Amino acid sequence: MGWAAKIGERRAFLASVDSALEFAVRDRGISSWALASELARTARRNPLYATNPADVRAADAVRYLERTRDAEIPEPVAGQLRVLVGFHDARYALVPVEVRFEPGRSAGTGHAILRVAVLDVRGSKLVFIGDIVGNDEPDYAASIGADLARRFTDLVVPR
């Protein structure tokens, strides 16, 4: 398929997926969630205390928790997340773990899959993990992130 080579710089692509998630969530009227841009703003305002969310290795922690289900969120991620959610008086963190590309069901197509997790930061536990599967497409398109975000919000808030 070669889609991974078409995304450009990985960190910029993941930031675009975060932005698409933020737009989709706000578009559905969910205003109580602290999203990536707000967490980044919080970290910039408190540089000695909070870690930039883009630098928190939360996805690695989730992968660890998948393998050892009864384990707690490992340090330093647990502490970094506690600080970020504490600023927003939250308990849970939604973690986009990865976006991967797989062949589609029909020949010559593929689809993107967004793996998301919910962490109970105060309880230091993995609460949920699941995959959001995009449409089969003949080729990579920049709109894939927005499609995955829309599909995620469809699960959270009905249209």
Side-chain angles (χ1 to χ4, degrees):
M1 280 182 11
W3 287 14
K6 296 179 182 180
I7 66 169
E9 203 273 313
R10 182 180 174 276
R11 197 168 181 140
F13 171 73
L14 295 175
S16 74
V17 173
D18 280 345
S19 294
L21 281 167
E22 186 165 337
F23 177 80
V25 165
R26 294 293 182 233
D27 190 48
R28 296 290 175 91
I30 302 172
S31 59
S32 60
W33 291 14
L35 298 166
S37 66
E38 293 167 77
L39 296 175
R41 194 170 26 260
T42 296
R44 280 193 305 276
R45 289 180 181 156
N46 301 281
L48 298 176
Y49 193 60
T51 304
N52 179 343
D55 296 331
V56 176
R57 304 281 307 246
D60 291 341
V62 169
R63 289 183 192 101
Y64 167 76
L65 292 170
E66 278 187 279
R67 292 189 308 272
T68 53
R69 285 287 181 158
D70 292 332
E72 292 186 349
I73 301 170
E75 293 295 344
V77 173
Q80 294 166 334
L81 290 175
R82 273 193 303 276
V83 168
L84 287 169
V85 301
F87 274 113
H88 295 277
D89 195 28
R91 179 177 185 121
Y92 298 97
L94 174 71
V95 178
V97 178
E98 68 180 0
V99 176
R100 66 183 185 277
F101 305 107
E102 293 184 355
R105 296 166 222 21
S106 352
T109 65
H111 56 258
I113 299 171
L114 171 63
R115 188 158 186 80
V116 294
V118 175
L119 298 175
D120 176 348
V121 177
R122 290 183 192 169
S124 197
K125 298 287 180 195
L126 175 65
V127 176
F128 168 83
I129 190 153
D131 291 334
I132 312 299
V133 180
N135 287 328
D136 281 2
E137 301 289 345
D139 200 5
Y140 171 80
S143 62
I144 283 176
D147 176 56
L148 291 170
R150 181 190 53 74
R151 287 172 175 272
F152 168 76
T153 55
D154 284 347
L155 296 172
V156 178
V157 178
R159 290 186 201 202

